Amino acid sequence: YHPMWSDDGDTVYFYHSDDGGPGGIYKTSKSSAMFERSLVLESQALIDELHPGDIAAMRVIKGEETDYALVDFISGEMRTVANRPGVHEDLGNLSPDGRWVALTVDASGRYEVIVVPVSDGNSMVQVSLQGGEEPRWAEDMSALYWRYGTRLFRATVTTAGGELEFSVPEEVFEDPQWINVGGYSYWPDRSKGGFVILRENQATTTRALRVVEGWQNIQTGINQ
């Protein structure tokens, strides 16, 4: 499940579990036909993103609950950043400076976006006000984006005394054909700006090239 490229573009990490055997995060590479286990896990886990240094932001699924953790695949160290009892913590994004994690949680009865410091998962700030999922930081940390339904929202981010402050959310755009999946449904388009989103299947459009011969004679007749 959920294969992710390493920063050097050579290694792929993914979750795998044999029948009756322990599950874990495995890796393989372009230079190897085999794969090996990097991390043993008692629960199923899905990697949301992989950062330089092979640091992963990962969902750890425990029955009806999901906790969130950061994992160093080189050292094997795993740090849980959010694991409140009875709360489903899902679909996260590590900030570019590595100090904050934006998460999707259902503590209020619907999904909302919160931000927690990596150093203290019990301290949190709710960013969305009327629902939110799939948060993503801007590359310069000037804004936090998230999806809710078929709309993309944004809150601007400022820093005061080492703490983050978020503006009132504003809508960026809406696409009625934007679909929700069991993971991220949009990605920043680094080459052109904007976003790439998942949309409903579109009907095939028939394209044809029509060639008109004798155009000069036809034009002459029209002019006459």
Side-chain angles (χ1 to χ4, degrees):
Y1 295 91
H2 281 226
M4 289 284 172
W5 286 104
S6 62
D7 189 52
D8 61 10
D10 180 71
T11 304
V12 176
Y13 292 92
F14 56 94
Y15 177 81
H16 171 73
S17 177
D18 290 321
D19 293 338
I25 301 299
Y26 286 71
K27 67 178 181 180
T28 187
S29 68
K30 294 184 293 185
S31 58
S32 173
M34 304 295 291
F35 60 89
E36 60 181 300
R37 189 167 59 207
S38 297
L39 184 69
V40 177
L41 295 167
E42 296 180 358
S43 304
Q44 183 182 3
L46 302 176
I47 305 170
D48 279 336
E49 56 189 11
L50 197 58
H51 296 269
D54 290 359
I55 305 298
M58 192 168 68
R59 287 174 274 163
V60 181
I61 302 171
K62 298 180 177 179
E64 297 298 322
E65 296 183 9
T66 302
D67 297 337
Y68 219 82
L70 298 178
V71 183
D72 185 332
F73 286 147
I74 304 301
S75 67
E77 178 185 359
M78 182 165 67
R79 173 188 294 181
T80 300
V81 296
N83 62 344
R84 287 182 293 166
V87 178
H88 193 77
E89 289 132 342
D90 210 342
L91 294 175
N93 189 227
L94 181 66
S95 63
D97 64 3
R99 297 180 54 200
W100 309 86
V101 177
L103 292 170
T104 303
V105 300
D106 66 350
S108 66
R110 69 180 174 194
Y111 285 116
E112 300 282 1
V113 170
I114 68 167
V115 170
V116 298
V118 171
S119 58
D120 180 14
N122 293 319
S123 176
M124 54 158 280
V125 176
Q126 182 172 326
V127 183
S128 63
L129 301 179
Q130 296 181 333
E133 302 177 64
E134 305 176 36
R136 287 194 183 277
W137 297 93
E139 286 190 275
D140 59 0
M141 285 187 63
S142 62
L144 184 67
Y145 297 89
W146 64 89
R147 180 198 63 79
Y148 194 62
T150 57
R151 296 181 292 173
L152 184 76
F153 291 88
R154 169 180 59 205
T156 57
V157 183
T158 56
T159 304
E163 299 296 324
L164 299 182
E165 295 182 355
F166 298 89
S167 69
V168 175
E170 59 179 340
E171 183 177 328
V172 180
F173 68 82
E174 180 176 13
D175 189 317
Q177 294 179 310
W178 195 348
I179 61 173
N180 189 14
V181 294
Y184 272 94
S185 63
Y186 75 101
W187 300 265
D189 183 351
R190 305 298 187 192
S191 62
K192 299 181 180 179
F195 299 90
V196 177
I197 71 172
L198 292 179
R199 304 180 80 223
E200 294 178 355
N201 292 333
Q202 305 297 301
T204 302
T205 301
T206 301
R207 299 182 181 275
L209 176 64
R210 298 184 180 182
V211 179
V212 179
E213 297 181 353
W215 170 248
Q216 290 182 339
N217 296 333
I218 295 175
Q219 185 66 35
T220 299
I222 292 175
N223 292 337
Q224 291 176 349

